[in-house]
Amino acid sequence: GAMLDVPRTKRLLSDVFVFRDLVDRAHWTDDATRGIPTYYAYTWVSLAVAEQALGNNAAAEQAVQQYEKWMAMAVR
């Protein structure tokens, strides 16, 4: 949708969701669950777009970097 609760999304990504070291692993565990890192990636890119729309370019760039890490994980 067109609406994204930016503060809540940030809180979920930083304080609620527990992914520990997943993004730093050398490869994803198996093909059956490969969608999991893409879900994180899509959430990060949604946050980046919202931050950019709000004029928070530094926060948008940080979110893009997280998006790229998760997408890289999805293809390993």
Side-chain angles (χ1 to χ4, degrees):
M3 303 297 284
L4 181 74
D5 185 334
V6 172
R8 177 140 174 84
T9 302
K10 285 174 140 178
R11 184 175 168 277
L12 289 170
L13 287 170
S14 63
D15 300 330
V16 177
F17 299 151
V18 179
F19 50 81
R20 294 181 182 80
D21 67 341
L22 288 181
V23 76
D24 297 320
R25 291 186 181 187
H27 68 284
W28 189 248
T29 307
D30 57 42
D31 289 336
T33 60
R34 192 165 304 280
I36 293 170
T38 60
Y39 301 145
Y40 281 109
Y42 294 157
T43 305
W44 279 109
V45 80
S46 297
L47 181 60
V49 170
E51 291 284 23
Q52 187 175 35
L54 293 170
N56 301 332
N57 294 331
E61 180 57 34
Q62 290 174 339
V64 166
Q65 290 172 4
Q66 289 296 321
Y67 160 77
E68 291 172 347
K69 286 181 184 180
W70 283 104
M71 284 308 290
M73 167 55 75
V75 297
R76 290 190 278 221

